[in-house]
Amino acid sequence: MNAISRRRFISYGIASAILAGIGGVSAYLLLRRPEQASDAGRLPPGQYQVQDLEVLHVDGVPNLSLDTWTFEVNGEVENPFKLDWNQFKQLPKTVSVSEFDCVTGWTRLDNRWEGIRFGEIAKLAHPTVKAKYATIECYGTPAYTTSLPLDVLMRDDVLFAYNLDGKPLEPEHGGPLRLVVPGKYAYKSAKWVRQVRFTGTQELGFWESRGYSNTADPWTNDRYG
Ligand SMILES: Nc1nc2c(c(=O)[nH]1)N[C@H]1C(S)=C(S)[C@@H](COP(=O)(O)O)O[C@H]1N2
Ligand SMILES: [Mo]
């Protein structure tokens, strides 16, 4: 090795050592989570972080059997339909990681939902030109409802979810199937979904008709209607 190439060899060596150092530091920064301090900036205004979803609903957990469970789509659509559990599970599935913000103040970050996008359901149903919203109706007493504009429901991260963090959704969290609408307070994320009805005007859901915001955006602290 002559003097020049040795010098070049040494400076390459130093450069790669520096790059490896930077790589190591950024890997450390990335892997260091979860940590309260670094997660604080990820919480919407007025929210605090919880490690597990709380269990919150207005009445008892409905006792649902997959043998008799059905999922119905109707209203302002050209192709109303009804699926049983096996048919529903054959739709193209997807995974989406998102935060979950209850209007009472708690937020769980990084929920890994698996299910069927609302968009897949709309594709099968063919909404009419009049359709602008959908009302989600649930199993249970009272039959909980919520409604959202189709432009929100068509987002890629809006799912009818049956798995959470790799496990079948527990009945108290809406199993077998719940809606998940990231970026809206969780009263929009209806548990025990039974029916999707497309509508031309927006209906008021259970909490929305009791004073909670119909737009429900956690990032603007949009809690009350
Ligand atoms: N069917 C139904 N869905 C519901 C509710 C409810 O009372 N009934 N409560 C909503 C509210 S206010 C919240 S915060 C979340 C709570 O979901 P979790 O119990 O899985 O945490 O469910 C939402 N979906
Ligand atoms: Mo909530």
Side-chain angles (χ1 to χ4, degrees):
M1 219 184 250
N2 64 31
I4 292 173
S5 68
R6 178 175 301 131
R7 201 177 304 136
R8 199 178 280 162
F9 181 78
I10 290 169
S11 54
Y12 277 146
I14 292 170
S16 12
I18 291 171
L19 286 177
I22 293 171
V25 170
S26 29
Y28 168 76
L29 289 174
L30 286 172
L31 293 173
R32 182 167 71 113
R33 323 188 38 256
E35 212 179 69
Q36 301 289 43
S38 57
D39 282 341
R42 302 174 59 206
L43 297 175
Q47 296 292 109
Y48 59 87
Q49 187 176 1
V50 294
Q51 294 307 319
D52 296 299
L53 290 183
E54 317 239 322
V55 174
L56 206 62
H57 46 259
V58 291
D59 211 340
V61 176
N63 188 8
L64 304 175
S65 154
L66 293 185
D67 298 335
T68 52
W69 181 93
T70 57
F71 179 88
E72 198 166 345
V73 179
N74 52 34
E76 283 294 339
V77 294
E78 274 152 29
N79 181 36
F81 61 91
K82 191 168 176 175
L83 302 177
D84 65 21
W85 181 251
N86 290 328
Q87 293 167 324
F88 187 86
K89 286 292 292 280
Q90 278 162 29
L91 298 175
K93 63 180 182 180
T94 189
V95 167
S96 174
V97 177
S98 54
E99 76 186 43
F100 193 85
D101 305 304
C102 174
V103 72
T104 62
W106 53 269
T107 288
R108 184 177 189 251
L109 298 170
D110 301 327
N111 300 279
R112 189 173 184 279
W113 302 104
E114 185 175 340
I116 314 297
R117 281 195 182 114
F118 182 91
E120 289 292 340
I121 301 302
K123 204 156 76 182
L124 291 174
H126 294 285
T128 68
V129 287
K130 282 200 225 152
K132 296 283 181 289
Y133 304 88
T135 299
I136 313 298
E137 299 192 1
C138 304
Y139 288 99
T141 320
Y144 188 86
T145 63
T146 190
S147 166
L148 286 142
L150 293 187
D151 60 357
V152 171
L153 289 167
M154 294 301 286
R155 292 177 188 163
D156 273 356
D157 56 1
V158 174
L159 261 56
F160 291 105
Y162 48 76
N163 281 358
L164 171 58
D165 298 333
K167 283 174 282 183
L169 196 54
E170 304 280 352
E172 59 264 38
H173 291 299
L177 190 79
R178 83 176 303 161
L179 181 66
V180 176
V181 188
K184 297 285 176 189
Y185 285 120
Y187 53 86
K188 296 286 185 182
S189 291
K191 309 201 269 192
W192 315 297
V193 169
R194 182 180 63 79
Q195 177 177 273
V196 180
R197 187 159 37 80
F198 287 75
T199 62
T201 54
Q202 188 163 25
E203 299 175 351
L204 283 182
F206 183 89
W207 282 121
E208 295 89 336
S209 61
R210 288 166 175 79
Y212 282 105
S213 166
N214 203 11
T215 39
D217 176 6
W219 290 95
T220 59
N221 218 339
D222 170 24
R223 293 172 200 265
Y224 306 105

